[in-house]
């Protein structure tokens, strides 16, 4: 379903969810109130980039029941699918845990996943994706943006690109389902992780202090596992840690 303009494709998906089929897609050329993670806004030039929400409904033959404890699998399938899509352009992308896609130190795509949990199960998920496709310049207040065009020199057809991207995400959802969700995508996710096994600076958001650490992986429930310089291994939930990116 394509919209000229909508407040946010995630909002629209949430409003319509009870009448939408599993795997429905709400896509827009323009958002008036695009939302990002941590309460941020998401700004994107009109008609230039991909902005859409994929609706996943669990508990049928296509997407069997997903325990809430395994919900990070949705993020794994989405991010790996996006990385695969970017490979079509020769772009080698990395996954910045939990939900950003980076090319070196530049952000090319942001993801806002909103899950509905009922009785310990994910009943539905709205996977909102903003992928910078053809945008050439960005506002100065965005720290480190890039786009498919800036990385590859190629201008893309927005609607075709959406089809390819949905195919790529679909392939990873199929793997998840055929392997019963748990651990199915952990190894490829770890292989594509931004900054894994290298020393970098982070901020512990609980006390605001900056520290040197090495990302070692992901815990079973999707927390970031970081080895600190004093040899401790710590787990961070989303919002508990920030990356220092110069
Ligand atoms: C982030 O990096 O903070 C996440 C950005 C997610 C943006 C997309 S654009 C389509 C969908 N609709 C929204 O309002 N947000 C997501």
């Amino acid at each position: 379903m394509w919209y000229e303009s909508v407040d946010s494709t995630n909002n629209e998906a949430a409003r319509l969810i009870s009448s939408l089929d599993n795997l429905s897609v709400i896509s827009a050329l323009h958002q008036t109130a695009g939302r990002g993670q941590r309460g941020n806004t998401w700004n994107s030039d009109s008609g230039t980039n991909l902005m859409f929400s994929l609706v996943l409904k669990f508990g049928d033959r296509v997407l069997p029941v997903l325990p809430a404890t395994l919900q990070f699998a949705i993020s794994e399938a989405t991010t790996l699918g996006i990385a695969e899509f970017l490979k079509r352009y020769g772009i080698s992308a990395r996954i910045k845990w939990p939900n950003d896609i980076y090319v070196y130190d530049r952000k090319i795509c942001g993801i806002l996943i909103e899950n509905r949990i009922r009785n310990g199960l994910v009943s539905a998920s709205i996977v909102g994706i903003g992928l910078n496709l053809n945008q050439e310049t960005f506002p100065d207040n965005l720290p480190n943006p890039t786009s498919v065009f800036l990385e590859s020199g190629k201008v893309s057809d927005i609607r075709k690109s959406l089809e390819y991207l949905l195919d790529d995400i679909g392939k990873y959802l199929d793997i998840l389902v055929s392997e019963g969700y748990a651990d199915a995508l952990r190894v490829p996710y770890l292989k594509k992780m931004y900054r894994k096994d290298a020393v970098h600076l982070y901020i512990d958001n609980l006390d605001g202090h900056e520290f040197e650490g090495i990302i070692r992986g992901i815990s079973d429930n999707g927390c970031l596992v970081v080895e600190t310089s004093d040899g401790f291994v710590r787990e961070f939930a989303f919002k508990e840690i920030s990356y220092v990116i110069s």
Side-chain angles (χ1 to χ4, degrees), residues 28-205:
L29 294 171
H30 177 70
Q31 291 186 131
T32 56
R35 293 190 290 115
Q37 298 158 24
R38 306 178 198 231
N40 291 326
T41 53
W42 181 258
N43 293 307
S44 173
D45 282 1
S46 268
T48 307
N49 301 316
L50 284 176
M51 289 174 271
F52 69 95
S53 302
L54 170 64
V55 174
L56 306 177
K57 291 182 164 184
F58 295 90
D60 66 5
R61 212 174 41 83
V62 180
L63 292 177
V65 165
L66 173 65
T69 48
L70 300 181
Q71 62 188 290
F72 192 67
I74 300 169
S75 175
E76 290 176 326
T78 307
T79 51
L80 285 166
I82 295 167
E84 187 91 11
F85 169 79
L86 292 169
K87 248 198 248 160
R88 294 172 183 264
Y89 296 87
I91 297 172
S92 170
R94 298 261 142 203
I95 302 165
K96 177 170 167 278
W97 175 92
N99 279 330
D100 287 331
I101 306 294
Y102 267 54
V103 182
Y104 298 101
D105 285 331
R106 296 188 175 278
K107 178 164 167 170
I108 196 163
C109 178
I111 305 163
L112 178 66
I113 298 179
E114 297 181 300
N115 291 336
R116 298 192 172 190
I117 314 280
R118 207 184 299 140
N119 300 327
L121 301 174
V122 182
S123 59
S125 178
I126 298 175
V127 180
I129 297 178
L131 191 146
N132 299 330
L133 206 56
N134 295 323
Q135 193 158 333
E136 288 183 45
T137 55
F138 291 88
D140 290 341
N141 61 335
L142 291 185
N144 49 357
T146 190
S147 67
V148 169
F149 173 74
L150 290 175
E151 297 299 328
S152 69
K154 291 176 191 146
V155 176
S156 308
D157 180 279
I158 296 187
R159 286 167 201 260
K160 276 225 167 67
S161 303
L162 177 61
E163 279 171 31
Y164 292 136
L165 177 51
L166 290 170
D167 271 1
D168 291 331
I169 294 172
K171 274 181 227 151
Y172 283 98
L173 286 173
D174 286 347
I175 297 175
L176 273 186
V177 169
S178 64
E179 299 194 13
Y181 295 125
D183 290 340
L185 297 175
R186 190 54 49 92
V187 171
Y189 185 93
L190 292 177
K191 271 201 193 133
K192 287 246 175 297
M193 260 183 109
Y194 174 71
R195 286 192 171 176
K196 186 164 173 293
D197 296 324
V199 179
H200 285 282
L201 284 175
Y202 298 92
I203 295 169
D204 179 340
N205 290 336

